[in-house]
mmCIF file with all atom_site columns, all heavy atoms in Angstrom:
data_model
loop_
_atom_site.group_PDB
_atom_site.id
_atom_site.type_symbol
_atom_site.label_atom_id
_atom_site.label_alt_id
_atom_site.label_comp_id
_atom_site.label_asym_id
_atom_site.label_entity_id
_atom_site.label_seq_id
_atom_site.pdbx_PDB_ins_code
_atom_site.Cartn_x
_atom_site.Cartn_y
_atom_site.Cartn_z
_atom_site.occupancy
_atom_site.B_iso_or_equiv
_atom_site.pdbx_formal_charge
_atom_site.auth_seq_id
_atom_site.auth_comp_id
_atom_site.auth_asym_id
_atom_site.auth_atom_id
_atom_site.pdbx_PDB_model_num
ATOM 1  N N   . SER P 1 6  ? -5.726  1.854   -16.655 1.00 96.00 ? 6  SER P N   1
ATOM 2  C CA  . SER P 1 6  ? -7.156  2.176   -16.642 1.00 96.00 ? 6  SER P CA  1
ATOM 3  C C   . SER P 1 6  ? -7.949  0.881   -16.531 1.00 96.00 ? 6  SER P C   1
ATOM 4  O O   . SER P 1 6  ? -7.450  -0.203  -16.853 1.00 96.00 ? 6  SER P O   1
ATOM 5  C CB  . SER P 1 6  ? -7.544  2.906   -17.931 1.00 96.00 ? 6  SER P CB  1
ATOM 6  O OG  . SER P 1 6  ? -7.446  2.011   -19.026 1.00 96.00 ? 6  SER P OG  1
ATOM 7  N N   . ARG P 1 13 ? -5.180  -5.506  -21.991 1.00 96.00 ? 13 ARG P N   1
ATOM 8  C CA  . ARG P 1 13 ? -3.783  -5.740  -21.607 1.00 96.00 ? 13 ARG P CA  1
ATOM 9  C C   . ARG P 1 13 ? -3.690  -6.654  -20.399 1.00 96.00 ? 13 ARG P C   1
ATOM 10 O O   . ARG P 1 13 ? -2.831  -6.477  -19.536 1.00 96.00 ? 13 ARG P O   1
ATOM 11 C CB  . ARG P 1 13 ? -3.116  -4.400  -21.326 1.00 96.00 ? 13 ARG P CB  1
ATOM 12 C CG  . ARG P 1 13 ? -3.103  -3.505  -22.567 1.00 96.00 ? 13 ARG P CG  1
ATOM 13 C CD  . ARG P 1 13 ? -2.766  -2.077  -22.256 1.00 96.00 ? 13 ARG P CD  1
ATOM 14 N NE  . ARG P 1 13 ? -1.367  -1.914  -21.879 1.00 96.00 ? 13 ARG P NE  1
ATOM 15 C CZ  . ARG P 1 13 ? -0.856  -0.755  -21.466 1.00 96.00 ? 13 ARG P CZ  1
ATOM 16 N NH1 . ARG P 1 13 ? -1.605  0.317   -21.392 1.00 96.00 ? 13 ARG P NH1 1
ATOM 17 N NH2 . ARG P 1 13 ? 0.410   -0.669  -21.137 1.00 96.00 ? 13 ARG P NH2 1
ATOM 18 N N   . LYS P 1 18 ? -1.255  -8.639  -15.327 1.00 97.00 ? 18 LYS P N   1
ATOM 19 C CA  . LYS P 1 18 ? -0.962  -9.773  -14.449 1.00 97.00 ? 18 LYS P CA  1
ATOM 20 C C   . LYS P 1 18 ? 0.535   -9.902  -14.203 1.00 97.00 ? 18 LYS P C   1
ATOM 21 O O   . LYS P 1 18 ? 0.968   -10.171 -13.075 1.00 97.00 ? 18 LYS P O   1
ATOM 22 C CB  . LYS P 1 18 ? -1.507  -11.067 -15.046 1.00 97.00 ? 18 LYS P CB  1
ATOM 23 C CG  . LYS P 1 18 ? -3.002  -11.190 -14.938 1.00 97.00 ? 18 LYS P CG  1
ATOM 24 C CD  . LYS P 1 18 ? -3.457  -12.519 -15.541 1.00 97.00 ? 18 LYS P CD  1
ATOM 25 C CE  . LYS P 1 18 ? -4.943  -12.706 -15.454 1.00 97.00 ? 18 LYS P CE  1
ATOM 26 N NZ  . LYS P 1 18 ? -5.364  -13.984 -16.036 1.00 97.00 ? 18 LYS P NZ  1
ATOM 27 N N   . GLY P 1 32 ? -10.164 8.199   -14.762 1.00 91.00 ? 32 GLY P N   1
ATOM 28 C CA  . GLY P 1 32 ? -9.017  8.980   -14.324 1.00 91.00 ? 32 GLY P CA  1
ATOM 29 C C   . GLY P 1 32 ? -8.809  9.056   -12.829 1.00 91.00 ? 32 GLY P C   1
ATOM 30 O O   . GLY P 1 32 ? -7.881  9.700   -12.362 1.00 91.00 ? 32 GLY P O   1
ATOM 31 N N   . GLU P 1 58 ? 7.464   1.795   14.403  1.00 98.00 ? 58 GLU P N   1
ATOM 32 C CA  . GLU P 1 58 ? 6.863   3.034   14.889  1.00 98.00 ? 58 GLU P CA  1
ATOM 33 C C   . GLU P 1 58 ? 6.468   2.918   16.355  1.00 98.00 ? 58 GLU P C   1
ATOM 34 O O   . GLU P 1 58 ? 6.642   3.863   17.125  1.00 98.00 ? 58 GLU P O   1
ATOM 35 C CB  . GLU P 1 58 ? 5.659   3.413   14.033  1.00 98.00 ? 58 GLU P CB  1
ATOM 36 C CG  . GLU P 1 58 ? 6.047   3.904   12.660  1.00 98.00 ? 58 GLU P CG  1
ATOM 37 C CD  . GLU P 1 58 ? 4.852   4.232   11.779  1.00 98.00 ? 58 GLU P CD  1
ATOM 38 O OE1 . GLU P 1 58 ? 3.739   4.434   12.317  1.00 98.00 ? 58 GLU P OE1 1
ATOM 39 O OE2 . GLU P 1 58 ? 5.042   4.288   10.551  1.00 98.00 ? 58 GLU P OE2 1
ATOM 40 N N   . LEU P 1 65 ? 10.554  7.392   22.716  1.00 98.00 ? 65 LEU P N   1
ATOM 41 C CA  . LEU P 1 65 ? 10.328  8.830   22.893  1.00 98.00 ? 65 LEU P CA  1
ATOM 42 C C   . LEU P 1 65 ? 9.551   9.117   24.176  1.00 98.00 ? 65 LEU P C   1
ATOM 43 O O   . LEU P 1 65 ? 9.861   10.075  24.899  1.00 98.00 ? 65 LEU P O   1
ATOM 44 C CB  . LEU P 1 65 ? 9.601   9.409   21.677  1.00 98.00 ? 65 LEU P CB  1
ATOM 45 C CG  . LEU P 1 65 ? 10.433  9.458   20.396  1.00 98.00 ? 65 LEU P CG  1
ATOM 46 C CD1 . LEU P 1 65 ? 9.547   9.809   19.213  1.00 98.00 ? 65 LEU P CD1 1
ATOM 47 C CD2 . LEU P 1 65 ? 11.582  10.428  20.530  1.00 98.00 ? 65 LEU P CD2 1
ATOM 48 N N   . ALA P 1 70 ? 9.564   11.102  29.762  1.00 97.00 ? 70 ALA P N   1
ATOM 49 C CA  . ALA P 1 70 ? 9.404   10.848  31.199  1.00 97.00 ? 70 ALA P CA  1
ATOM 50 C C   . ALA P 1 70 ? 10.714  11.111  31.932  1.00 97.00 ? 70 ALA P C   1
ATOM 51 O O   . ALA P 1 70 ? 10.713  11.675  33.040  1.00 97.00 ? 70 ALA P O   1
ATOM 52 C CB  . ALA P 1 70 ? 8.926   9.418   31.427  1.00 97.00 ? 70 ALA P CB  1
ATOM 53 N N   . LEU P 1 85 ? 29.295  10.266  29.415  1.00 96.00 ? 85 LEU P N   1
ATOM 54 C CA  . LEU P 1 85 ? 30.267  9.164   29.520  1.00 96.00 ? 85 LEU P CA  1
ATOM 55 C C   . LEU P 1 85 ? 30.479  8.743   30.969  1.00 96.00 ? 85 LEU P C   1
ATOM 56 O O   . LEU P 1 85 ? 30.610  7.547   31.272  1.00 96.00 ? 85 LEU P O   1
ATOM 57 C CB  . LEU P 1 85 ? 31.591  9.568   28.870  1.00 96.00 ? 85 LEU P CB  1
ATOM 58 C CG  . LEU P 1 85 ? 31.534  9.758   27.348  1.00 96.00 ? 85 LEU P CG  1
ATOM 59 C CD1 . LEU P 1 85 ? 32.843  10.331  26.830  1.00 96.00 ? 85 LEU P CD1 1
ATOM 60 C CD2 . LEU P 1 85 ? 31.203  8.448   26.657  1.00 96.00 ? 85 LEU P CD2 1
ATOM 61 N N   . ARG P 1 91 ? 27.031  3.459   35.564  1.00 91.00 ? 91 ARG P N   1
ATOM 62 C CA  . ARG P 1 91 ? 26.041  2.386   35.439  1.00 91.00 ? 91 ARG P CA  1
ATOM 63 C C   . ARG P 1 91 ? 26.705  1.053   35.117  1.00 91.00 ? 91 ARG P C   1
ATOM 64 O O   . ARG P 1 91 ? 26.278  0.014   35.613  1.00 91.00 ? 91 ARG P O   1
ATOM 65 C CB  . ARG P 1 91 ? 25.008  2.745   34.385  1.00 91.00 ? 91 ARG P CB  1
ATOM 66 C CG  . ARG P 1 91 ? 24.100  3.874   34.818  1.00 91.00 ? 91 ARG P CG  1
ATOM 67 C CD  . ARG P 1 91 ? 23.056  4.202   33.792  1.00 91.00 ? 91 ARG P CD  1
ATOM 68 N NE  . ARG P 1 91 ? 22.262  5.345   34.188  1.00 91.00 ? 91 ARG P NE  1
ATOM 69 C CZ  . ARG P 1 91 ? 21.101  5.648   33.666  1.00 91.00 ? 91 ARG P CZ  1
ATOM 70 N NH1 . ARG P 1 91 ? 20.595  4.910   32.680  1.00 91.00 ? 91 ARG P NH1 1
ATOM 71 N NH2 . ARG P 1 91 ? 20.432  6.700   34.085  1.00 91.00 ? 91 ARG P NH2 1
ATOM 72 N N   . ALA P 1 92 ? 27.725  1.076   34.273  1.00 93.00 ? 92 ALA P N   1
ATOM 73 C CA  . ALA P 1 92 ? 28.437  -0.151  33.926  1.00 93.00 ? 92 ALA P CA  1
ATOM 74 C C   . ALA P 1 92 ? 29.115  -0.742  35.162  1.00 93.00 ? 92 ALA P C   1
ATOM 75 O O   . ALA P 1 92 ? 29.133  -1.967  35.337  1.00 93.00 ? 92 ALA P O   1
ATOM 76 C CB  . ALA P 1 92 ? 29.453  0.120   32.833  1.00 93.00 ? 92 ALA P CB  1
#
Side-chain angles (χ1 to χ4, degrees):
S6 68
R13 298 166 71 185
K18 286 181 180 180
E58 288 178 19
L65 291 170
L85 293 173
R91 290 182 184 197

